[in-house]
Amino acid sequence: MKPENLLIRPWPTQKCTTGCPVLDRCLGGGIPCRSVTEIVAESGCGKTQFCLQLLLSAHLPHSRGGLSASSLYLHSEFPFPSRRLHQLSRARPFDPRHDPLEYIFVHPLHSADHLLDVMPKVQSFVENFKSQFPVRLIVIDSIAALFRSEFDNNPLDLKRRSSMFFKISGRLKLLAEKFDLAVVVTNQVVDLVAPNEGINGLRIGNLGCLDSSGRRVCAALGLAWANCVNSRLFLSRDKEIVRTVNGTRDECGCELMHCGTRRRLHLLFAPHIPDTSCEFVITREGISGVCI
């Protein structure tokens, strides 16, 4: 393969289904391998549930959009949501001979330095894992939690933090390329108080601004980390006034109303598809897109 050949025939990249055809269409087929995909959202928007669903989807055979693979889940948010993972597993049809939960490996993370220490062990584990279902998906939930209180807001610490960003992302991208796997990281948001768009007036991604729960927000960890990921997804939610069914009224004759949550997935940037978005809902069975 020569560089000029990539302009004629791009290198084929396998994708892992999200478990929902609507979301897959929005993302151009799913979550790409050989790449680092970031999911950004405020707490309660569905980041972790999205990741849990991916862990199960990765075990699906290639014919159903999966990777026919095992997964590694590195979590810094405690406790690990094992009950929700079991619930999602029971809602999906799997080969009864292979329980997908037996092929999901979980490891806690406590700090950014801990993650760097774990990375060589992760590579060794992926390389030496002997199974018909090799490890093809790594999830880190969440990257922001590892840097939440470890660094101060001074030039020396900010420089050291940026250096760690590039070390971590470099090793993740190396793993993704070497073993043809997908890497997914979650990130949090912070309130945007600047009068201009983006971070310090700099727009990142396809949206001029990010809004969730009536707040203007931006992805945590700043511009340095934004340059460390290949694709960025943003999950937003907003309260919506919904009328009750059959025009039910109270004793005063006023129509009863209730609030519902409207959720949306936005593709902020990616090297392989243009910006797009779709609505989604979270149910007992998992996350699914909404056709409008």
Side-chain angles (χ1 to χ4, degrees), residues 35-38 169 173 185 224-232 269:
S35 179
V36 177
T37 301
E38 181 191 43
S169 65
K173 289 176 180 178
V185 300
W225 175 253
N227 287 313
C228 292
V229 298
N230 301 109
S231 306
R232 172 173 282 178
F269 60 80

Side-chain angles (χ1 to χ4, degrees), residues 132-154:
Q132 68 179 103
F133 302 107
V135 177
R136 299 277 313 277
L137 172 66
I138 296 177
V139 175
I140 300 178
D141 182 23
S142 77
I143 193 70
L146 300 177
F147 292 90
R148 186 180 295 153
S149 58
E150 194 172 333
F151 298 88
D152 294 325
N153 191 24
N154 59 63

Side-chain angles (χ1 to χ4, degrees), residues 10 127 202:
E127 198 165 13
L202 179 65

Side-chain angles (χ1 to χ4, degrees), residues 17 40 66 86 93 109 229 238 244 263 278-279 282 289:
T17 178
V40 177
H86 280 79
L109 295 174
V229 298
D238 290 289
T244 55
R263 303 175 188 272
C278 71
E279 286 193 28
I282 300 177

Side-chain angles (χ1 to χ4, degrees), residues 148-164:
R148 186 180 295 153
S149 58
E150 194 172 333
F151 298 88
D152 294 325
N153 191 24
N154 59 63
L156 183 61
D157 266 19
L158 291 176
K159 181 179 180 181
R160 188 165 69 92
R161 190 182 76 157
S162 296
S163 176
M164 293 191 76

